[in-house]
Amino acid sequence: MNLKKGFLAACCVLAIGFLHAQNTKPGLYHEPFRPQVHFSPPEKWMNDPNGMVYNKGVYHLFYQFYPDATVWGPMHWGHAESKDLIHWQQKPIALYPDSLGYIFSGSAVLDVHNTSGFGKNGQAPLIAIFTHHDPKGEKAGKADFQNESIAYSLDDGKTWTKYSGNPVLKNPGIKDFRDPKVMWFEASKKWIMTLATKDRVTFFSSLNLKDWKKESEFGAQLGAHGGVWECPDLFPLSLNGKIYWVLLVSINPGGPNQGSATQYFVGNFNGNSFIPKNTATKWIDYGPDNYAGVTWSNTGKRKIFLGWMSNWLYATQVPTVKWRSAMTIPRELSLQEVNGDILLASKPAKEFDALRLSPKVVKNAQVDGSLNLTNKFGQLPKQFELKLSIKEVKDFSINLSNTVGEQLIIGFDKARNSYYIDRRKAGESSFNKDFAAIHYAPKLSASKSIDLTLVVDAASVELFADNGLSVMTSIFFPKKPITNLQLQANGSLFTDLEMIPLKSIWK
Ligand code: FRU
């Protein structure tokens, strides 16, 4: 090694040491409970994902954001961008409250044909469609304090100009009149807005995103009604060459496991009205912590979903200090036929696989009573995927625990034909009386076996069972990281197992 090379090598070692120190230093993205494979804001309050649109190789994620506190307040649209749906770059706030009110949830589209006329020099504008929520009107007891407005961007989402003619859709006197999700309906060459209007959704159409006409209503007598309807989404998905329309509707409260949750309907949409194929209530995720989720627009046939990983029951009380809330991992949606019914399945988007490190695999492990896998896998990494493939449908549980005896139990209860997540002893829960609970999700698949993927992060678990048909998302707040893994079964059970450590998205 000559002197020059030696000097360079020394510099490299120093630089790596410095970077390492930076990465391991406590601080931003290293705080207790800070998700390592999920998007969370650097600081302060976040709720619903908004304005998700894909354009020029970039996934935009806007979100309900209050930059002055870690509780809900006057809403802004925060903004982050990603090239791969996984690694996010924080951007300046996109939309601020103004004289018409706070900026509530909504969507964004690429106006390819410049129907709005906001485009310039052949540049198609991005258009955000959102609810203006007027707090003064609300306080005064008026009914029309939520109205729909638009803003446009000609620099790929960097800066936004609100339309001078706002609001573009005036409230006819309905207290809950919000969360516009807009899509292009090619068959009639018009825009369709799906809007949450109290206990139903209302469809509106427009040729230019500025003038809106009511088409029809859906759902006053259908689905779950334990709370107000919010954050709808409408999109087509194909199955065996046939197109079906999926309508997502979040409701709060009234979810299957208390509080906030998202139901869906599968049916047909003809540009005017939505006709469901089947009217039984269905949930996209049975866990307590996936709310207000919608799909990215402009992603072609792929439908990629992201939800807010919290619940209005306790969102403002969870024990994170610098920030509050994270998003789910992005999920690819698809349809599956089960016993003649068409169901919606969610699976981690394939981009997520890029985070995988070398897996630890055990084939045909026998669980007879209990099997401690910490001996085989060593201490669990901070974030990981766990895959189980069990050839029969039987009671079993996965026990994830830490050195202070806290445990998160995920399992299957055959008598109930349900998966469950038990977070009763999984860490801090004193902040809300409803938090420490066990939640169930029915096994919807007709299969005689069980396949299960868990995505475990610092303060959350996501369960995808049976090809994404039974899904649960649950947050939890362990005082020490989860390090031990144990399987439990009554009698003997055989399973293939894979534990896949995941890289942090913040490094
Ligand atoms: C859903 C929601 C929306 C509303 C937003 C306000 O979580 O209540 O209906 O637009 O949050 O932050």
Side-chain angles (χ1 to χ4, degrees), residues 238-311:
S238 73
L239 177 66
N240 303 327
K242 207 174 154 203
I243 301 282
Y244 295 87
W245 286 81
V246 178
L247 176 64
L248 304 182
V249 180
S250 283
I251 83 167
N252 177 58
N257 274 306
Q258 272 213 304
S260 325
T262 302
Q263 59 183 325
Y264 72 90
F265 303 86
V266 177
N268 188 32
F269 182 73
N270 60 9
N272 164 260
S273 48
F274 178 84
I275 314 292
K277 240 183 96 55
N278 175 316
T279 55
T281 303
K282 300 183 170 90
W283 303 94
I284 195 168
D285 186 319
Y286 282 81
D289 297 302
N290 177 359
Y291 192 59
V294 288
T295 58
W296 258 278
S297 78
N298 204 30
T299 52
K301 290 201 170 108
R302 270 188 98 188
K303 289 296 155 206
I304 308 161
F305 169 99
L306 195 76
W308 174 46
M309 201 158 58
S310 198
N311 188 314

Side-chain angles (χ1 to χ4, degrees), residues 97-323:
D98 56 42
S99 61
L100 294 177
Y102 303 162
I103 314 297
F104 269 22
S105 287
S107 48
V109 294
L110 177 69
D111 183 10
V112 183
H113 309 296
N114 194 21
T115 60
S116 61
F118 293 129
K120 259 194 204 137
N121 309 326
Q123 159 97 341
L126 282 173
I127 313 279
I129 309 99
F130 56 90
T131 301
H132 256 129
H133 171 99
D134 171 20
K136 288 196 210 97
E138 183 183 24
K139 242 197 194 136
K142 292 191 181 160
D144 61 353
F145 53 87
Q146 294 184 338
N147 294 278
E148 313 329 310
S149 289
I150 59 177
Y152 62 92
S153 171
L154 295 174
D155 55 6
D156 302 323
K158 273 190 208 75
T159 59
W160 292 83
T161 308
K162 288 179 188 137
Y163 174 47
S164 55
N166 280 339
V168 291
L169 176 59
K170 286 218 170 87
N171 189 318
I174 301 170
K175 246 182 78 215
D176 298 291
F177 192 75
R178 59 177 178 268
D179 309 339
K181 182 74 162 75
V182 173
M183 56 137 198
W184 178 249
F185 190 71
E186 180 60 29
S188 2
K189 305 232 176 308
K190 61 185 182 184
W191 298 100
I192 296 291
M193 177 197 292
T194 308
L195 192 71
T197 49
K198 199 177 160 198
D199 58 350
R200 62 197 74 183
V201 296
T202 305
F203 301 106
F204 296 86
S205 67
S206 173
L207 295 174
N208 58 9
L209 293 159
K210 294 170 180 159
D211 303 299
W212 293 92
K213 167 177 160 254
K214 180 171 167 178
E215 292 286 343
S216 66
E217 294 179 356
F218 170 80
Q221 315 294 333
L222 290 174
H225 282 277
V228 68
W229 284 25
E230 299 183 316
C231 299
D233 193 0
L234 176 72
F235 50 86
L237 271 179
S238 73
L239 177 66
N240 303 327
K242 207 174 154 203
I243 301 282
Y244 295 87
W245 286 81
V246 178
L247 176 64
L248 304 182
V249 180
S250 283
I251 83 167
N252 177 58
N257 274 306
Q258 272 213 304
S260 325
T262 302
Q263 59 183 325
Y264 72 90
F265 303 86
V266 177
N268 188 32
F269 182 73
N270 60 9
N272 164 260
S273 48
F274 178 84
I275 314 292
K277 240 183 96 55
N278 175 316
T279 55
T281 303
K282 300 183 170 90
W283 303 94
I284 195 168
D285 186 319
Y286 282 81
D289 297 302
N290 177 359
Y291 192 59
V294 288
T295 58
W296 258 278
S297 78
N298 204 30
T299 52
K301 290 201 170 108
R302 270 188 98 188
K303 289 296 155 206
I304 308 161
F305 169 99
L306 195 76
W308 174 46
M309 201 158 58
S310 198
N311 188 314
W312 282 114
L313 271 182
Y314 43 70
T316 59
Q317 301 162 339
V318 296
T320 52
V321 176
K322 202 176 172 106
W323 83 103

Side-chain angles (χ1 to χ4, degrees), residues 359-370:
K360 302 212 168 156
V361 180
V362 183
K363 288 269 177 212
N364 218 23
Q366 183 178 7
V367 189
D368 202 349
S370 87

